[in-house]
């Protein structure tokens, strides 16, 4: 226990705490991307086996290469936003029980966020969809749906910039 505390004291004295949080957040994202790559490889193997019998998917409005890139970027942004929120909760709590208690409302709200973004998929251009594209928690999901249906590219740059700023703000 004392050795662990000493390591934390040295780390806190040597590195700004924001840098520790950002490093931890990026490490968590890297692990998530490794997991996605493993599942993606399994999916590609399944497509090689059963793919010829499946119907073709419609081409997204921005095209497949850009849509896949946006999918990766929006996954990363959603992960960074939610991960920074959970890092903040972990920093506020002093015990594992407190972390679990504080995380429960956030975990529950994640389902509402996803449901709200899913609801706006068929409402492209309507005010409710624009709100979903602006709110940082729903923006990655709503913007990916927008990429599948609207060929405009510039809103994605604005959304990714805003989501990155929000994740940094939450870490601060």
């Amino acid at each position: 226990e004392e050795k662990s505390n000493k390591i934390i004291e040295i780390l806190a004295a040597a590195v700004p705490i924001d840098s520790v949080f950002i490093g931890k957040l990026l490490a968590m994202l890297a692990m998530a991307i490794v997991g996605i790559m493993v599942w993606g490889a399994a999916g590609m193997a399944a497509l090689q086996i059963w793919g010829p019998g499946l119907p073709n998917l419609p081409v997204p409005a921005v095209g497949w290469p850009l849509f896949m890139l946006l999918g990766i970027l929006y996954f990363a942004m959603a992960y960074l936003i939610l991960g920074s929120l959970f890092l903040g909760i972990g920093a506020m709590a002093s015990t594992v029980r407190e972390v679990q208690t504080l995380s429960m409302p956030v975990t529950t709200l994640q389902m509402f966020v996803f449901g709200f973004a899913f609801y706006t998929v068929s409402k492209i251009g309507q005010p409710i969809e624009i709100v979903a594209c602006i709110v940082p928690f729903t923006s990655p999901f709503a913007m990916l749906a927008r990429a599948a249906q609207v060929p405009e590219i510039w809103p994605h740059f604005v959304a990714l910039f805003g989501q990155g700023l929000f994740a940094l703000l939450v870490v601060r």
Side-chain angles (χ1 to χ4, degrees):
E1 184 67 28
E2 285 187 31
K3 186 177 182 180
S4 176
N5 287 340
K6 188 67 171 175
I7 291 170
I8 292 171
E9 287 175 18
I10 292 170
L11 185 62
V15 181
I17 198 71
D18 291 350
S19 298
V20 173
F21 278 174
I22 290 172
K24 185 172 183 176
L25 190 59
L26 292 177
M28 289 172 17
L29 175 62
M31 291 304 298
I33 289 173
V34 168
I36 295 290
M37 289 172 56
V38 168
W39 283 105
M44 295 302 270
L47 277 177
Q48 291 297 320
I49 296 170
W50 297 291
L54 297 175
N56 290 332
L57 294 172
V59 177
V62 296
W64 277 114
L66 185 57
F67 185 75
M68 297 301 283
L69 175 65
L70 287 172
I72 292 166
L73 292 174
Y74 284 130
F75 168 80
M77 284 299 138
Y79 198 90
L80 290 174
I81 288 170
L82 291 171
S84 63
L85 194 60
F86 283 111
L87 272 176
I89 290 171
M92 291 186 319
S94 58
T95 65
V96 174
R97 186 176 188 152
E98 285 180 15
V99 170
Q100 291 173 342
T101 302
L102 292 171
S103 295
M104 183 59 179
V106 174
T107 304
T108 304
L109 286 174
Q110 279 180 288
M111 295 300 110
F112 289 114
V113 163
F114 186 72
F116 178 60
F118 182 74
Y119 172 74
T120 64
V121 168
S122 63
K123 314 247 183 293
I124 298 295
Q126 296 180 14
I128 191 83
E129 188 260 344
I130 293 170
V131 168
C133 289
I134 293 172
V135 173
F137 294 106
T138 57
S139 182
F141 308 113
M143 288 303 294
L144 190 58
R146 179 175 266 272
Q149 300 177 48
V150 179
E152 291 178 333
I153 304 296
W154 70 267
H156 300 288
F157 293 118
V158 174
L160 288 166
F161 180 75
Q163 293 163 17
L165 276 178
F166 185 76
L168 284 175
L169 177 71
V170 173
V171 168
R172 292 287 292 154

